[in-house]
Amino acid sequence: MRIVIAGGHGQIALRLERLLTARGDEVAGIIRKPEQAGDLLASGTEPVVCDLETASVEDVVKHLEGADAAVFAAGAGPGSGAARKETVDHRSAVLFADAAERAGARRFLIVSSMGTSQEPPPGTDPVFAAYLRAKAAADDDIRARDGLDWTVLRPGVLTNDPGTGRVKLAEHTGRAEVTRDDVAATLVALLDEPRTARRTLELINGDTPVTEAVRTIAEQN
């Protein structure tokens, strides 16, 4: 497959790129800073410099032409304010989805977050509340599209612990930790299983091997 990943220098994206290139997929990672290219090249990933906050749909379509799948794994990241949660986590996701539709890259995965199914509770940090609202708006936009075979993945609390290869994947899992390694492995398995399209799924570490967890979800359709 040819797979284009937005947020190509993110912690989950870098792990995902390594897994995909190691098995022979053709992978391109969209990055904002040219100096990030070396980390992608080290895994055999094609770096594509494109700032999704300022790019036009036509700009992004060019990078998605010929792609079999698109993965939105971008985020404004820690230290950014509420405004960038909106421009990156929401608007850039919508832009990337628009471009994927135009380019004919129907398979579309988005890395979202738990806590986006309802309004943030009173007392939530304002910037974190803005993040949750931005993620929720992006999810809602993408789930309304008939032109994409989308899957929304909502991981729990992310850690950098070594991957376990075992997860709990369901519409509702309860809040718990999940390693970034296991998120990346789950994204690979979701890309391989078209029957997981049009599903919104939560992910935490658990007892089920990743491929089995994804297959079980697929068979529930």
Side-chain angles (χ1 to χ4, degrees):
M1 289 194 292
R2 175 171 172 78
I3 301 153
V4 179
I5 302 170
H9 196 259
Q11 294 189 66
I12 291 172
L14 288 169
R15 290 166 166 83
L16 175 60
E17 288 155 2
R18 288 193 290 269
L19 292 174
L20 293 172
T21 57
R23 70 179 197 170
D25 288 322
E26 180 183 342
V27 185
I30 294 179
I31 54 177
R32 191 165 57 92
K33 300 176 181 178
E35 58 267 29
Q36 297 170 336
D39 292 331
L40 276 67
L41 290 167
S43 70
T45 299
E46 173 194 352
V48 175
V49 179
C50 177
D51 186 347
L52 295 178
E53 288 182 270
T54 59
S56 68
V57 175
E58 291 74 19
D59 293 334
V60 184
V61 167
K62 291 184 291 187
H63 303 311
L64 282 159
E65 287 174 349
D68 299 293
V71 180
F72 187 83
S80 59
R84 290 203 70 227
K85 306 304 184 189
E86 173 62 21
T87 57
V88 178
D89 293 279
H90 177 202
R91 293 184 202 165
S92 292
V94 171
L95 175 74
F96 195 58
D98 287 342
E101 280 197 276
R102 293 198 195 181
R106 284 195 62 94
R107 190 69 174 110
F108 191 95
L109 272 57
I110 181 168
V111 181
S112 183
S113 173
M114 285 190 187
T116 56
S117 297
Q118 60 278 322
E119 176 66 12
T124 301
D125 173 80
V127 174
F128 187 62
Y131 165 77
L132 292 175
R133 292 187 184 107
K135 283 291 190 185
D139 292 353
D140 288 346
D141 179 277
I142 286 158
R143 292 187 297 182
R145 295 172 185 258
D146 294 326
L148 295 176
D149 295 326
W150 52 264
T151 303
V152 175
L153 184 65
R154 293 174 169 171
V157 180
L158 297 168
T159 77
N160 287 326
D161 295 334
T164 66
R166 293 178 177 272
V167 297
K168 181 177 181 179
L169 182 69
E171 290 184 1
H172 303 287
T173 61
R175 190 168 180 82
E177 292 184 346
V178 62
T179 75
R180 289 181 171 88
D181 286 345
D182 290 317
V183 176
T186 302
L187 289 168
V188 173
L190 290 169
L191 285 168
D192 288 344
E193 181 46 87
R195 293 178 297 169
T196 58
R198 312 196 80 76
R199 303 291 296 273
T200 301
L201 303 168
E202 295 183 349
L203 178 72
I204 58 175
N205 278 121
D207 300 321
T208 307
V210 168
T211 53
E212 182 181 332
V214 171
R215 185 174 63 249
T216 298
I217 288 290
E219 290 172 350
Q220 291 173 2
N221 277 353

